[in-house]
Each structure stands twice: as C-alpha cells, then as structure tokens.
Amino acid sequence: MASDGTPVRAVLFDRDGTLVIDVPYNGDPDLVRPVPTAARAVARLRCAGLPLGVVSNQSGIGRGLIVQADAEAVNARVDTLLGPFDVWRYCPHVPEDRCACRKPAPGLVLSACAALGVSPSETVVIGDIAADVDAAARAGARAVLVPTPATRAEEIVAAPQVAEDLAAAVDWVLQRVPDRAGAGDRDPGSMP
C-alpha cells in the first residue's frame, strides 16, 4: 500500500452502499438513490480538481439476474445524479470465476488508474466493505472504509483508515491533495 505521505491525485468510489443506497443486483435506474452525503462529497473532490471514477462488482450479470445493459443503465443514472465520473469499471463475474477484476482482486482499480493516467499509489479507493479496502491494497492504492450496516465489525477493525461518512472520507483525502489546500472546502453550490 502507498505510504500516507504520497499525494492523492485521483479517487475511486465503490458504487453500491458507498455512492448510492445498496439495492441488491439492481438493474433498474429508477431505484438509484444517492447516499445522503454523496452529492456534496463528490462535488468537493471535483472542486479540488481530482479525477473521479467508480469501481464496482456487478455479479448480478454473471448470475443471470441482470444483463450488462441493465448495469450500464444504473451507472448512467448514477452519472446523472452525481457525475459525470471520469471512468467506470465494473466486474460482471461471480466469485467462483476467480477473475482478476472482481474486488478484492486489484483488476478494477488498476484498470481505472490506467484510464485516468495516475499511479495506484496516488489513488484512494473509498468503499464500504473489506473487498474495497483489499482491492486498493492489492493494487498499491490507499483506501478509506465508510461503514454501513453491511460492514462487518472485523472489517472496520482491520481497515487502515475508517471514516464515519463520505464527508469525513473526503476530508481525509483533501488533506493529501497537493497544491489545492482548501480548494475542496469551498461550497460547491456557490461556485461560478
């Protein structure tokens, strides 16, 4: 994992449970609801000039519960409500496939970092479960765990960085952004 002194140049979010309320195997864009602090958190990072992406396991595709077009429609809805995000990466596989992309494997994080042109060591992954934290660590990125009711107690204890909500996670990130001191603290609603 990257040292804490490495500057942050990009942020990747988990989708379900982190940016939006988790609806298991959601293929319906009308069910997308951002978590309460998501819009402001994302806006603060944009004000700081950081490229943003989403890395998400979507095993509903591999399970035959949704199709790729459903997942992409949900992603497009998230983009409409909170985006646009600079990069989207999702894994359609089930755990039994043992693919290189499904979190906790590092594939999604590595692919998103490559697309953004940043080193994983300059990237922070924000998520709600150990798979998000582990994928970041395996890719050489840092992670901030934002617990939800789905987060197990042992995941919280094991996480290198825990924030009570997305606002606190963004505070942590912005303290590590070079040459942008305070830029993310401006009220996004007052921006010209």
Side-chain angles (χ1 to χ4, degrees), residues 51-149:
L52 305 177
V54 180
V55 290
S56 180
N57 287 345
Q58 293 300 315
S59 68
I61 298 169
R63 297 175 198 280
L65 301 172
I66 62 173
V67 297
Q68 184 172 336
D70 295 333
E72 290 175 1
V74 169
N75 292 347
R77 181 66 178 153
V78 175
D79 251 350
T80 298
L81 295 172
L82 300 172
F85 289 91
D86 299 296
V87 65
W88 280 87
R89 294 293 185 264
Y90 63 90
C91 171
H93 305 109
V94 294
E96 298 76 28
D97 289 339
R98 300 193 195 294
C99 64
C101 53
R102 181 177 172 79
K103 295 180 290 182
L108 294 175
V109 175
L110 293 172
S111 177
C113 288
L116 293 173
V118 297
S119 167
S121 67
E122 299 174 315
T123 303
V124 173
V125 177
I126 299 176
D128 66 322
I129 61 172
D132 302 314
V133 173
D134 294 345
R138 291 176 182 178
R142 286 168 283 182
V144 179
L145 181 73
V146 179
T148 67

Side-chain angles (χ1 to χ4, degrees), residues 10-13 41-43 45-46 50-54 84-87 116:
V11 176
L12 302 175
F13 290 94
V42 170
L45 293 171
R46 278 202 188 92
L50 292 171
L52 305 177
V54 180
F85 289 91
D86 299 296
V87 65
L116 293 173

Side-chain angles (χ1 to χ4, degrees), residues 9-34:
R9 300 197 189 279
V11 176
L12 302 175
F13 290 94
D14 170 58
R15 190 187 82 181
D16 303 317
T18 302
L19 284 176
V20 299
I21 305 298
D22 187 16
V23 176
Y25 311 117
N26 184 21
D28 183 354
D30 290 336
L31 297 179
V32 173
R33 300 286 180 269

Side-chain angles (χ1 to χ4, degrees), residues 138-166:
R138 291 176 182 178
R142 286 168 283 182
V144 179
L145 181 73
V146 179
T148 67
T151 312
R152 297 189 316 262
E154 60 268 24
E155 294 174 319
I156 297 169
V157 170
Q161 186 65 41
V162 179
E164 70 179 89
D165 58 20
L166 282 177

